[in-house]
Amino acid sequence: MNYGIDQDRLITIDSILREDLIEIGVDYVLMIDTAGNTIAKCDSGAHSYDVASLAALAAGNYATVDAMAKIVGEQEFSLLFHKGENVSIHFSMINEEFLLIILFGKDVSLGFLRLKVTEAIDKIRALWK
Amino acid sequence: MAFINMRTNEVQVKIVYYGPGRGGKTSNLEFINKKFRERIKSDMVSIKTHGDRTLFFDFLPFDIGKIKGYDIKIQMYTVPGQVKYNATRKLVLKGVDGLVFVADAMAERRKHNLLSLKQLQENLAEYKKSIFRIPLILQYNKMDLKDQGVPLLPLATLEQDLNSKLKVPSYPASAITGENVVITLKKIISVTMAAIQRELK
Ligand SMILES: Nc1nc2c(ncn2[C@@H]2O[C@H](COP(=O)(O)OP(=O)(O)O)[C@@H](O)[C@H]2O)c(=O)[nH]1
Ligand SMILES: [Mg+2]
């Protein structure tokens, strides 16, 4: 019933999140599982957020949208994005189990972010190959 | 599925309060939130309707310190009890490690308890989990109403209805006065941790 991720992988995940995402100006990156557990987190130090609550809500949000997709006959809605005045949230799926949640401000362009997210996700997936 | 972070030595444990609508699940968490306020670092999150009914879930994180060198982080959730919300109930059950079934002791709620417990069994089965194996505690809530002359189900009836096959620990309680609320919580944490530790070896 339990599961763990070994230390080496977690350290690698951390450096991927830092180098691909925090480095381009993102405020906060969270890797969570679909049950709402926090697997890894990285931040620029600019803000502090209530991570446990964010993870629980993000997992719920993702699961809700996923269930809606199934009802209308879609595999998934691939882009999940909430735009705010100062902070925006970008969700993406790493695989069946893991999600990537990114909080970023006005100075990061969505196009560039999506490119970097794809890169980061590919690298994380490769850890399980 | 408790997540064990081998890097930070942290274990995240998901405990879900389940039961029929208006049985007192949210009230349990509210009591715990008030009672342990100084130990809980974040606010309780409640996704609810205008009428104050749980729409998706309540969420309350609770750190209980270290067990065998691991930092234990309990994440408590409630499900929405209303019949029509079964899809969202199922989502909240994803990855659950331990369950408190909050039954409503009011006589008129007898059938709702039975239906809710049966649906819990079905919902768990969809995640390939057995209600007979998952850590589970029963709570017979609203015991305080006895003093106000509200007809309650006798404990023997509640046990017969809900616990004759499960045979799990059960507590008469009141989420309003707080009677046995903390004991329920302690028991589900200890039963769940025992199950997780069996697997940690
Ligand atoms: N008298 C009494 N009322 C309770 C108790 N627990 C909950 N209630 C009341 O029952 C109603 C539903 O409670 P709530 O916690 O929202 O139930 P939930 O739907 O299971 O989350 C509220 O009006 C509560 O104040 C209890 O132990 N005693
Ligand atoms: Mg509720």
Side-chain angles (χ1 to χ4, degrees):
Chain A
M1 207 164 59
N2 311 320
Y3 78 104
I5 298 179
D6 57 80
Q7 191 158 342
D8 287 349
R9 271 195 191 134
L10 287 169
I11 289 172
T12 313
I13 289 171
D14 244 36
S15 58
I16 295 169
L17 300 182
R18 193 159 290 286
E19 283 158 25
D20 280 342
L21 297 163
I22 299 295
E23 288 290 309
I24 66 162
V26 158
D27 291 334
Y28 217 105
V29 186
L30 261 181
M31 176 170 157
I32 65 172
D33 69 13
T34 51
N37 293 309
T38 307
I39 310 296
K41 55 185 175 203
C42 247
D43 68 285
S44 65
H47 300 273
S48 76
Y49 297 108
D50 178 355
V51 173
S53 300
L54 265 177
L57 292 165
N61 184 37
Y62 202 91
T64 310
V65 173
D66 192 51
M68 288 195 291
K70 300 274 147 45
I71 289 173
V72 301
E74 284 292 329
Q75 268 294 315
E76 62 180 45
F77 293 128
S78 52
L79 179 69
L80 255 181
F81 175 54
H82 300 307
K83 185 162 172 44
E85 181 108 24
N86 295 308
V87 181
S88 298
I89 309 185
H90 184 283
F91 298 76
S92 36
M93 202 154 122
I94 297 171
N95 56 28
E96 296 265 282
E97 277 309 308
F98 300 124
L99 309 174
L100 199 61
I101 318 296
I102 298 163
L103 285 83
F104 61 102
K106 286 184 282 218
D107 36 346
V108 177
S109 95
L110 183 58
F112 187 48
L113 177 73
R114 290 182 68 184
L115 192 75
K116 298 302 278 182
V117 167
T118 311
E119 280 179 31
I121 287 179
D122 285 345
K123 289 181 200 167
I124 294 171
R125 281 186 188 147
L127 296 176
W128 272 273
K129 292 233 170 81
Chain B
M1 263 202 320
F3 172 64
I4 303 154
N5 189 322
M6 322 273 190
R7 193 174 164 209
T8 53
N9 277 342
E10 189 183 285
V11 183
Q12 293 172 49
V13 181
K14 182 169 186 174
I15 290 180
V16 175
Y17 281 67
Y18 195 101
R22 306 218 137 257
K25 300 174 293 295
T26 298
S27 303
N28 262 272
L29 256 60
E30 281 169 346
F31 185 85
I32 293 163
N33 188 31
K34 238 185 286 154
K35 172 110 187 164
F36 296 102
R37 189 61 266 179
E38 75 287 355
R39 278 176 53 184
I40 302 175
K41 289 184 215 92
S42 38
D43 293 330
M44 179 164 157
V45 173
S46 292
I47 307 182
K48 55 192 177 190
T49 64
H50 281 307
D52 233 11
R53 306 289 308 270
T54 307
L55 176 62
F56 198 163
F57 57 73
D58 304 296
F59 171 74
L60 187 65
F62 194 67
D63 296 356
I64 57 168
K66 281 194 199 307
I67 296 181
K68 291 192 178 159
Y70 286 94
D71 246 319
I72 311 297
K73 301 208 179 293
I74 306 285
Q75 330 240 35
M76 280 179 279
Y77 289 78
T78 71
V79 297
Q82 293 184 76
V83 176
K84 62 185 172 205
Y85 293 146
N86 197 44
T88 42
R89 260 195 298 286
K90 264 189 249 176
L91 297 180
V92 178
L93 283 177
K94 172 133 207 205
V96 60
D97 296 300
L99 278 158
V100 174
F101 184 86
V102 181
D104 194 326
M106 290 201 297
E108 60 178 50
R109 304 294 290 171
R110 186 173 180 186
K111 224 173 76 197
H112 294 87
N113 294 330
L114 287 163
L115 287 175
S116 176
L117 189 64
K118 184 159 168 283
Q119 197 177 53
L120 171 61
Q121 180 171 9
E122 292 162 4
N123 288 342
L124 287 171
E126 286 194 30
Y127 289 117
K128 304 201 163 38
K129 284 187 173 152
S130 160
I131 198 170
F132 294 102
R133 272 191 301 243
I134 194 159
L136 172 68
I137 305 292
L138 294 182
Q139 184 188 72
Y140 306 136
N141 191 37
K142 304 198 183 172
M143 284 298 154
D144 61 291
L145 288 176
K146 192 159 44 187
D147 302 337
Q148 295 171 39
V150 176
L152 296 184
L153 295 161
L155 284 180
T157 307
L158 286 159
E159 279 287 299
Q160 176 61 35
D161 275 1
L162 307 170
N163 206 13
S164 57
K165 291 201 205 103
L166 291 169
K167 299 189 170 47
V168 296
S170 62
Y171 300 98
S174 166
I176 295 299
T177 67
E179 180 201 349
N180 281 346
V181 168
V182 175
I183 290 175
T184 306
L185 173 67
K186 283 189 173 158
K187 190 70 182 174
I188 189 56
I189 290 177
S190 81
V191 175
T192 307
M193 289 315 300
I196 289 172
Q197 278 180 37
R198 275 197 295 280
E199 290 182 45
L200 272 182
K201 277 188 218 134

